[in-house]
Structures are given as structure tokens and as C-alpha cells.
Amino acid sequence: MSNPNKTVSASLDVDKIRQDFPMLSKRINGKPLVYLDNGATTQKPLSVIKRMERFDTEEYATVRRGAYQLGEMATNTYEETRKKLARFLGVEDARQIIFTSGTTQSINLVAYSFGKKYIQSGDEVMISNMEHHANIIPWQTMCEERGATLKIIPINDAGELIMEDYDRLLSSKTKIVAITHVSNALGTINPVKEIVSKAHAVGAKVLLDGAQSTPHMKVDLQDIDCDFYAFSGHKIYGPSGIGVLYGKYELLKEMPPYVTGGEMINVVTLEKTTYAKPPARFEGGTPPITQVIGLGEAVDYLTNIGIEKIDAYERELLAYGTKVLSEIPGLRIIGTAKHKASIISFVLESVHPHDVITLLDQDLVAVRGGHHCAQPVMTRFCVPATTRASMSFYNKYEEIDALAAGIRKVQEVFA
Ligand code: PMP
């Protein structure tokens, strides 16, 4: 089967784009790689790989020590990248951009530091039933330590937040709401502006987990108005080991450090330390310098293609994938929200996702099977695991056809 509307996607030249990604031309035993695990991590364009190589071979020195020319130049490039990231997120003040190792560390930083400063016994923290473990466990731990209560916004059968319950659970006791912008397990795009404005109305702050939104859509933090936003470089075509935490400056400047040591200080005596202002306060130790530069290049790559075009094309892919997979008897899509990013989770009657992915892998179709670090989602839908195809703007309709054909083959094997 092939897409009858293929030409409507003319705004992106996918064949040309694919040539930018060395991994996408990989073949094993003559078979082409069908990479549909972009929710886990994305492939890198050559420009990102080359930029990091150039930095390491021609420009490398440590940053922020200000000792010699090379160091100053590296620091300059590092700080320019921070500005680039601020522009990418639609914010002006680059001091609000903190480089972390990824979404997980960004959320842990806020849970620990914001929690220490602002959460007391009897307070409440709110998350939802669709969070990644990275946006559950830090809050569980912090609530336990601070004597606070964790409240959970439930989700409906389509995998959408039940907003009436959100309204009901919000109160003056709520200190922070930590919600994913897009669910990695269901694909749901949450109504973040509404979530933020309602939280602010009761005096609560909001952290958004942007790990799955930044790859797919324009994120304008000035418009969304959340207090914190976290995402990972390796999911937006950049390197692993680097991520971002955005935080409103008036909050960051009051928050205690998360990691202490070199570079995050103002004055140190053997008795006492005073801390640097943000963002340095939250970047203790030598940062992943090359990865920061690589992330900047990834942002340039996405910006040059146009994130709106990416969004539009991925919506088409999602619609096509949803249609094609829905036509397979015995396949049930988990996560049918009205607003979705290009992620399709599904279960097959009588076949465990681990068997599905193993058989698909024989045809070099790479999808993920498991709980996707979102076990409470699996519990909610009464399934042990799902198979997840997560699509990027470099994926083609033919690859979705290959996935569908692979699934039919799996069904034949297990018939
Ligand atoms: N949140 C969501 C929604 C995710 O999809 C992921 C990665 N699967 C994370 C958080 C954690 O990201 P990382 O492992 O890059 O820290």
C-alpha cells in the first residue's frame, strides 16, 4: 500500500533530507534500515557530527576559565550557543538557559532545588498519569523528603488529561505542577497553555517536560509562560549527554545549587561559599563543551529546514500511519488523543511487543517495545507493554508501509 496523497508533502524534500543523515543509508545484509524509534533518540545530520569534529580538532579548550585566547574563543562559542537556545525557545534572556546532561537531570535539578527552597510539609505537587519515569520519581522522592503530597491528574481512555480533575485537584496548596508537553508513550499533546494559566491562578509554578515536544513543534516559552522547561539534545538531532533546563530568572536566582563544585561559585573560603548567579550556579564542573556546540548546530539544522514545515509533514505521516495501522485486524492503538505528535503505540492481539520487535528487527525495522519508562501508562491501559513507532520528518511513507507489512508478517507467524 502507498500513500495516495504523497505529493501534498512537497514542502519537504525528504529524499534530500535523508542524505544529510549518514545512519539512514545504513544497510545490514543488503536490507535498508527503517528507523522508527525517534522517540527514544534521533539520528544526527552530518552537519552536527562535522561541527563537533571541527570544534574538537580546531577550537577545543575549556570554557569560562578565561585564561588564554583559545579558551576565550571556546567560551564565546559556548555562550553564543546559549543565546541560540534561548532564541529557539522564544525567550530573550539567555541567563535562563542552563545546560544539563538531559531532561532527566533538568527535572531532578528543579525537584531538588525548587523543592528545597519552596516546598514545605503539607504542600502539594501535581503530576499526571502519563508521565515518563523521569517526571515521576524526582517528585516522589522530593515529596517524601519534604513531607509533601503528590497528586495525580488522571487520563481518559483516549490518553488525554482529564482537565475537570485537574481543576478539582488544583488548590492554594499546589506549589508546582510538572507535566509532559507530549507523552512519549501515547503521543498526546497536552493543553499546556491552559495548564499553566490555571496553575498560575492558584499561585503554583509549572514545569513542562519538553523531551517529546521540542523535536516536533515550535515551542514558544514566552507564549506558554511556564516556569521551567526541560528537554534533551539527543532527541532533537543533537548529541547525547547534553540537555537544557529553561527557568524563569526570578525563580532561578532564588534557588539553591543542585551540584556543587568548580565554576558555580562566587567566593570560596574553607569555612563558607557564596554562589554564582544563574546559569553558572547550576553548571558546576566542566560542562560537556563539545556536546553544547553540537546541540547548537542541531538547532541551526532544524531552524534551517523550518520547524513548522517539520510539524506539518509529521502530522501527515501520523495521519497516514494511523490509517494504515488501524486497518490491520487485531491491532489496537493505545493513545488516540485528538491532538497527537507523530508517535503511535499499539498492541497486537496475542503477541507480546517483545516478539513483535524481534520479528520486525529481522527486516531491519527498528521500533521500540516495552513500557517506554512510563509504567503507570501501561497500568492505566491494562497492558504489560506496547510497541511504539515514533516518526521523524526524515521518515518516508514507504517506511510506514514496511512497518505495516512487517506487522502482518508477525501475525502470520503467530497465527
Ligand atoms: N521525558 C520524556 C517524555 C521522555 O520521552 C524522555 C526520554 N525517553 C525523558 C523524559 C528522559 O530523557 P533523557 O533520557 O534524555 O534524560
Side-chain angles (χ1 to χ4, degrees):
M1 185 188 295
S2 61
N3 172 36
N5 298 322
K6 243 175 230 176
T7 48
V8 293
S9 318
S11 59
L12 278 192
D13 186 344
V14 180
D15 285 320
K16 187 160 170 287
I17 282 171
R18 287 177 71 83
Q19 290 170 11
D20 295 338
F21 293 82
M23 276 295 293
L24 297 182
S25 55
K26 191 165 177 62
R27 297 178 92 87
I28 298 178
N29 296 331
K31 287 180 185 164
L33 170 67
V34 176
Y35 188 74
L36 293 169
D37 195 18
N38 298 287
T41 199
T42 48
Q43 301 297 344
K44 290 183 254 325
L46 196 59
S47 60
V48 169
I49 298 166
K50 287 278 181 205
R51 181 67 190 98
M52 291 195 288
E53 186 188 80
R54 182 154 61 83
F55 185 76
D56 279 343
T57 50
E58 295 176 32
E59 302 168 44
Y60 187 77
T62 195
V63 293
R64 299 184 307 197
R65 266 79 169 173
Y68 39 83
Q69 272 184 58
L70 205 53
E72 261 176 41
M73 276 159 58
T75 303
N76 220 12
T77 313
Y78 182 85
E79 292 303 331
E80 284 303 315
T81 307
R82 196 189 300 282
K83 289 183 196 157
K84 197 179 282 181
L85 265 298
R87 286 194 296 275
F88 179 64
L89 296 174
V91 294
E92 273 170 26
D93 186 351
R95 296 176 306 169
Q96 305 182 110
I97 302 295
I98 296 162
F99 291 121
T100 66
S101 65
T103 311
T104 302
Q105 197 200 4
S106 296
I107 298 173
N108 272 274
L109 191 164
V110 177
Y112 175 87
S113 174
F114 179 90
K116 195 165 174 200
K117 175 81 186 178
Y118 294 108
I119 311 277
Q120 318 293 337
S121 164
D123 287 343
E124 290 177 1
V125 171
M126 211 185 303
I127 60 170
S128 85
N129 195 165
M130 70 168 82
E131 301 309 315
H132 186 280
H133 296 164
N135 200 29
I136 299 175
I137 307 163
W139 304 110
Q140 282 177 342
T141 311
M142 184 269 271
C143 283
E144 213 169 283
E145 279 170 11
R146 313 288 310 162
T149 306
L150 194 61
K151 297 277 179 176
I152 314 292
I153 311 166
I155 54 181
N156 64 22
D157 291 342
E160 296 160 324
L161 293 175
I162 302 177
M163 292 302 279
E164 296 75 28
D165 285 322
Y166 177 55
D167 295 345
R168 191 176 47 75
L169 290 167
L170 264 182
S171 77
S172 58
K173 284 190 194 166
T174 316
K175 290 295 170 277
I176 189 162
V177 177
I179 298 282
T180 196
H181 191 168
V182 171
S183 158
N184 67 312
L186 301 164
T188 313
I189 303 174
N190 284 320
V192 288
K193 273 186 79 167
E194 184 185 344
I195 289 169
V196 170
S197 70
K198 285 182 166 165
H200 285 174
V202 299
K205 305 300 178 199
V206 178
L207 173 139
L208 295 177
D209 173 349
Q212 299 292 342
S213 46
T214 38
H216 301 293
M217 62 188 71
K218 176 87 193 108
V219 171
D220 181 348
L221 294 187
Q222 203 124 7
D223 182 48
I224 296 173
D225 196 30
C226 58
D227 302 282
F228 301 101
Y229 202 85
F231 70 95
S232 301
H234 70 99
K235 292 183 200 281
I236 64 158
Y237 310 93
S240 55
I242 180 69
V244 165
L245 171 68
Y246 156 83
K248 282 188 179 162
Y249 197 76
E250 71 256 29
L251 288 170
L252 291 178
K253 77 177 177 13
E254 303 301 331
M255 284 163 47
Y258 173 53
V259 171
T260 54
E263 288 308 302
M264 45 72 68
I265 54 92
N266 186 11
V267 177
V268 181
T269 65
L270 288 177
E271 291 75 34
K272 190 175 162 51
T273 296
T274 55
Y275 303 122
K277 293 188 172 121
R281 186 186 301 166
F282 300 105
E283 292 181 2
T286 304
I289 309 167
T290 309
Q291 286 80 352
V292 167
I293 309 305
L295 175 59
E297 193 65 29
V299 164
D300 282 344
Y301 183 84
L302 289 178
T303 311
N304 285 340
I305 291 184
I307 198 98
E308 286 86 359
K309 278 190 189 170
I310 289 173
D311 188 355
Y313 175 64
E314 288 180 351
R315 276 168 204 260
E316 287 178 23
L317 272 185
L318 173 68
Y320 181 63
T322 305
K323 177 177 168 296
V324 169
L325 296 195
S326 302
E327 285 165 2
I328 299 177
L331 183 148
R332 178 161 68 100
I333 293 179
I334 306 288
T336 50
K338 199 157 161 247
H339 301 289
K340 276 186 71 175
S342 51
I343 292 170
I344 307 178
S345 260
F346 61 90
V347 288
L348 282 188
E349 230 166 64
S350 327
V351 194
H352 193 279
H354 288 152
D355 294 321
V356 177
I357 59 159
T358 306
L359 286 179
L360 287 174
D361 188 40
Q362 290 179 359
D363 288 326
L364 230 58
V365 176
V367 291
R368 171 120 176 239
H371 53 61
H372 316 292
C373 300
Q375 284 184 1
V377 172
M378 303 301 123
T379 308
R380 167 65 181 79
F381 286 92
C382 305
V383 292
T386 71
T387 304
R388 181 188 71 183
S390 44
M391 293 157 285
S392 153
F393 61 91
Y394 52 49
N395 287 124
K396 299 173 62 161
Y397 288 93
E398 289 87 332
E399 294 182 296
I400 294 171
D401 294 339
L403 169 67
I407 294 169
R408 287 179 195 273
K409 243 164 99 177
V410 171
Q411 286 181 317
E412 278 163 26
V413 172
F414 279 87

